[in-house]
Amino acid sequence: MLVLLIEDDDRIADPLTEGLGHHGFTVARARTGAEALALAGRAADRPEMVLLDLGLPDMDGLDVCRALRTGSDVPIIMITARGEEIDRVLGLELGADDYLAKPFGVRELVARIRAVMRRVRAGSPALTSPIADATPSAAADGVQHVGALAIDRRTRQVRLAGNEVALTPKEFDLLAYLATDAGAVYSRQQILDEVWDPHFFGPTKTLDAHIAALRRKLGDSAWIATVRGVGFRLVDPVAETPAVQAAGRCGAVPR
């Protein structure tokens, strides 16, 4: 696998390149955002995974992420010393598939690369997974409707009231999983096991950041209800009665 490492600090890049090489990865190195975008744009050098540092000398890594995602669905893992929640949320909203704060070990990075690639491959129409399977509420054309929300697992597209909603691969996987049984409550651990990985050991705030991003893009936080102390469920805000919405917010099960 060709991995594009976008990192200007040799003290970090050299050990990472060597360590990833020991695990069978081929690493292409870019020291600036401009160099990274040029490399990623060449067909011969097109990477299968991008490791992106946010603190680059010529441009913000978030801008690099945005530019990469505009023309490519290549998996992106942000590796950065920025540990603030706002940076994680922005990165994930712009299209990053995972976020790893420095310092970290090569083995952890390799585990995350493999986990992201498993999720990407599982989302391929040629493969099957719990997320990609058709559901009882899906139409014959493969499009599932939850109120005004239309989820097409075949094309991995989402429309809300006819308008396309641009989601990152991970956001789509999360939404599709919650829609598997719309209205049902999924625990945080169930979601992490299915959408991320059974052996996921990163911060659970990763899930919260993706939920927040989904709510923002759907334009109404009521689409994904929090069941306090349990997890989350996908609901149609229009169909939900005020009593049911209130029960979902306080964690009660309506009778």
Side-chain angles (χ1 to χ4, degrees):
M1 178 190 297
L2 177 60
V3 175
L4 174 58
L5 173 61
I6 309 173
E7 170 63 67
D8 64 311
D9 191 337
D10 291 340
R11 295 170 300 177
I12 296 173
D14 291 346
L16 278 183
T17 300
E18 182 180 355
L20 290 172
H22 289 320
H23 287 273
F25 297 96
T26 300
V27 180
R29 166 88 181 281
R31 290 176 170 80
T32 66
E35 184 183 358
L37 294 177
L39 280 173
R42 293 205 296 261
D45 301 314
R46 195 159 293 156
E48 298 170 77
M49 169 68 67
V50 171
L51 306 178
L52 172 61
D53 179 33
L54 295 186
L56 299 173
D58 61 333
M59 58 194 300
D60 193 290
L62 293 173
D63 293 327
V64 176
C65 181
R66 183 186 292 107
L68 286 172
R69 189 54 74 225
T70 298
S72 171
D73 59 358
V74 61
I76 300 172
I77 298 178
M78 289 186 169
I79 52 173
T80 176
R82 299 183 192 175
E84 295 298 323
E85 181 180 8
I86 184 61
D87 292 311
R88 293 195 298 270
V89 171
L90 283 173
L92 294 170
E93 284 192 335
L94 289 173
D97 295 276
D98 204 350
Y99 194 108
L100 188 56
K102 299 173 184 176
F104 56 85
V106 172
R107 284 184 295 178
E108 179 182 4
L109 176 59
V110 169
R112 287 179 181 268
I113 291 174
R114 290 174 175 165
V116 168
M117 293 308 299
R118 282 196 298 271
R119 297 193 295 268
V120 170
R121 289 164 180 162
S124 168
L127 301 174
T128 59
S129 72
I131 295 172
D133 290 340
T135 68
S137 57
D141 60 1
V143 180
Q144 180 185 358
H145 295 272
V146 180
L149 192 64
I151 303 169
D152 189 336
R153 289 171 168 79
R154 184 177 63 83
T155 63
R156 295 179 65 83
Q157 290 182 314
V158 173
R159 292 185 177 276
L160 181 60
N163 299 314
E164 185 170 356
V165 181
L167 301 180
T168 68
K170 183 50 48 27
E171 290 166 359
F172 178 87
D173 288 346
L174 174 56
L175 180 63
Y177 180 66
L178 291 174
T180 302
D181 186 3
V185 179
Y186 290 93
S187 71
R188 298 176 68 89
Q189 193 58 54
Q190 281 178 305
I191 297 171
L192 288 171
D193 286 350
E194 294 294 336
V195 181
W196 273 260
D197 185 85
H199 305 293
F200 177 77
F201 51 86
T204 58
K205 285 187 176 180
T206 296
L207 172 57
D208 296 311
H210 279 82
I211 290 288
L214 266 180
R215 285 169 169 163
R216 194 188 319 273
K217 291 184 177 182
L218 293 176
D220 186 346
S221 61
W223 275 105
I224 302 177
T226 299
V227 181
R228 191 171 301 169
V230 183
F232 304 95
R233 64 191 186 100
L234 180 68
V235 298
D236 177 6
V238 176
E240 286 280 284
T241 64
V244 172
Q245 290 179 357
R249 283 193 293 270
C250 70
V253 178
R255 297 182 182 276

